[in-house]
Amino acid sequence: APIEIAPGEVKSASLEFDGWKNGNVLNAVELVSEVSELNLGIIKNISVFDPATKEYELKLLDGATLEDGETSGMFRAGETVKLIYDVEGYILTGWQNAENPSETYPADGFVMPKKNITLKPITVKDEAHTLTVQGGTISGGGSTGKFNPNEKVTIVLTGEVPTGKVLVGWYNTADRTEIFKGTDNVSEITMPAKDITVAPLFDVETYFNKDIKVGKLLPEGGLYRGKGAGCYPVIADTTGAVKNADGDCELGNIYHLKGGTESTPANKIETDSWFLATAMNNWGTAGNISEGRTVTTTAENLGEEDITLRFALITSSSNPNSQYGEKTVTIKAGETVSFSFDVTYLHNNFMTCIMVKEHAVSELHIGMFQYISNITAQ
């Protein structure tokens, strides 16, 4: 930087250099302002110093500190300096020279250069969320960890698979309708953009895994008593898979239907055609229930075209109109959707009617699973 010297004033300046062995050392004086004459005296002294003893100033910005909590300090060139950055919501990825942002340094192991320097932290926003696994561990050990949205996480099942069942995935313990598919004791899930606790899910949702033969657990066909209008099953009717037991109840099936009737088939299943998908018989005493029940439905479109369906909870096998509630959803090919009904009145028989809406389809091929909380089997 230029040095301004008033008349009669004496000032000093120094320069450091290394690698000099012999030869001339010359002074160059450059005037940065016009003067009438130049009358200047210069005394030059060359001294030898050990670079290892020379200290330079390090300053830190934006919440960064040294190990002792200070934001600046003096350090020798080549010295490794521990830098601290612990600002909530951000992850440190490196450092940059505040006066020359293109000059960057790694996040760990900063080595002091042969100059004074001011550093700014280079950061990214911390979007990681906590994953907690019940009945399993995260690959690498432990049952909890933090991961970014869409990051692939491997989960290892640690408990025993119940006899006669298979692992079909993992479900969100706070929202049972949210399911992560998986078929092996070592499964890979995609981390959602939220904190989540998952637990293993067994057998009744086998239709999610189309490479497994689903017949023994979820027989394909599944029309309850063959009721319906405008469509018929590709294979013989079978009763939907039902678990009648005290406590939570799960039932599901795969349905594959075509238009018309078996004796008079049609090229399409027209709108307002319907069939009974799942049913429970004698599963509770009819009447009002103050605490209510939640019926959660998950449906997967196994076909090759988008479909729009109305799901209705009904009590009469000949009346497709809803008694408990209904939901119309569009399901893209290969897509899975979930939704719930809250009911405060129970009928001794429980059925789900599925009706084609909005546009005709060439065929229906869907898997469906339902979960009903806290029932009493009769």
Side-chain angles (χ1 to χ4, degrees):
I3 300 174
E4 184 175 341
I5 307 174
E9 185 180 16
V10 176
K11 284 196 173 179
S12 297
S14 62
L15 296 172
E16 296 175 2
F17 58 92
D18 56 18
W20 177 62
K21 295 182 179 179
N22 54 44
N24 296 324
V25 177
L26 305 176
N27 281 346
V29 177
E30 179 183 1
L31 293 176
V32 296
S33 62
E34 185 176 326
V35 295
S36 59
E37 65 177 2
L38 181 63
N39 191 359
L40 180 68
I42 298 177
I43 297 176
K44 179 173 62 180
N45 177 56
I46 299 177
S47 60
V48 177
F49 73 95
D50 183 356
T53 65
K54 175 66 178 179
E55 290 188 335
Y56 300 92
E57 186 177 27
L58 169 63
K59 294 181 180 179
L60 301 173
L61 303 177
D62 298 346
T65 67
L66 300 170
E67 193 171 12
D68 61 5
E70 298 295 328
T71 57
S72 65
M74 303 297 293
F75 300 93
R76 293 186 179 97
E79 183 177 353
T80 299
V81 184
K82 185 172 183 179
L83 308 179
I84 306 296
Y85 182 81
D86 188 18
V87 176
E88 185 176 357
Y90 292 88
I91 299 174
L92 178 70
T93 62
W95 302 92
Q96 64 182 185
N97 186 339
E99 298 176 355
N100 180 18
S102 63
E103 181 183 333
T104 60
Y105 300 87
D108 297 320
F110 172 73
V111 178
M112 190 69 189
K114 293 180 181 180
K115 63 180 178 181
N116 299 327
I117 189 170
T118 300
L119 294 180
K120 288 184 63 174
I122 303 172
T123 63
V124 295
K125 191 172 182 180
D126 184 4
E127 298 180 339
H129 296 275
T130 300
L131 170 66
T132 302
V133 180
Q134 296 179 355
T137 61
I138 299 169
S139 180
S143 59
T144 62
K146 292 184 73 69
F147 303 94
N148 291 319
N150 298 316
E151 185 174 350
K152 302 297 183 182
V153 184
T154 299
I155 295 177
V156 181
L157 180 70
T158 56
E160 294 292 330
V161 177
T163 302
K165 296 186 178 182
V166 294
L167 177 72
V168 297
W170 300 78
Y171 67 91
N172 180 355
T173 59
D175 178 7
R176 194 182 174 89
T177 65
E178 185 175 13
I179 298 166
F180 302 88
K181 301 177 186 180
T183 60
D184 301 316
N185 288 359
V186 179
S187 305
E188 184 180 77
I189 72 170
T190 300
M191 186 68 189
K194 60 184 176 183
D195 295 343
I196 189 172
T197 298
V198 298
L201 181 66
F202 301 106
D203 86 6
V204 293
E205 293 192 74
T206 308
Y207 75 79
F208 277 123
N209 306 282
K210 293 182 283 295
D211 293 334
I212 296 177
K213 293 183 178 179
V214 299
K216 67 176 182 178
L217 295 176
L218 297 176
E220 185 152 349
L223 287 187
Y224 177 68
R225 296 176 183 167
K227 296 291 183 178
C231 54
Y232 71 97
V234 174
I235 63 173
D237 296 354
T238 59
T239 301
V242 177
K243 173 186 175 183
N244 278 324
D246 290 345
D248 297 343
C249 181
E250 301 165 320
L251 62 154
N253 219 322
I254 289 179
Y255 306 97
H256 191 182
L257 301 102
K258 291 191 175 182
T261 65
E262 192 169 7
S263 59
T264 309
N267 292 330
K268 291 184 177 294
I269 302 177
E270 300 295 339
T271 55
D272 296 331
S273 299
W274 60 275
F275 71 98
L276 297 182
T278 56
M280 274 188 166
N281 292 320
N282 303 318
W283 65 286
T285 303
N288 291 303
I289 47 173
S290 59
E291 70 273 24
R293 296 289 185 271
T294 298
V295 180
T296 300
T297 300
T298 300
E300 182 177 13
N301 183 356
L302 304 176
E304 297 179 353
E305 58 185 311
D306 298 351
I307 54 178
T308 299
L309 304 175
R310 188 203 71 173
F311 295 80
L313 304 184
I314 65 174
T315 58
S316 171
S317 61
S318 60
N319 182 2
N321 296 316
S322 166
Q323 281 85 47
Y324 287 154
E326 64 181 54
K327 178 77 171 180
T328 300
V329 296
T330 296
I331 315 175
K332 296 181 179 180
E335 184 181 37
T336 300
V337 299
S338 294
F339 49 88
S340 298
F341 297 104
D342 293 324
V343 296
T344 56
Y345 183 91
L346 295 180
H347 193 275
N348 202 32
N349 294 326
F350 168 86
M351 288 162 278
T352 301
C353 174
I354 298 180
M355 180 178 290
V356 175
K357 304 299 290 184
E358 290 193 8
H359 60 85
V361 294
S362 60
E363 64 178 14
L364 281 179
H365 197 184
I366 62 173
M368 191 174 79
F369 162 73
Q370 286 182 315
Y371 170 80
I372 301 97
S373 62
N374 192 22
I375 69 162
T376 301
Q378 302 294 312

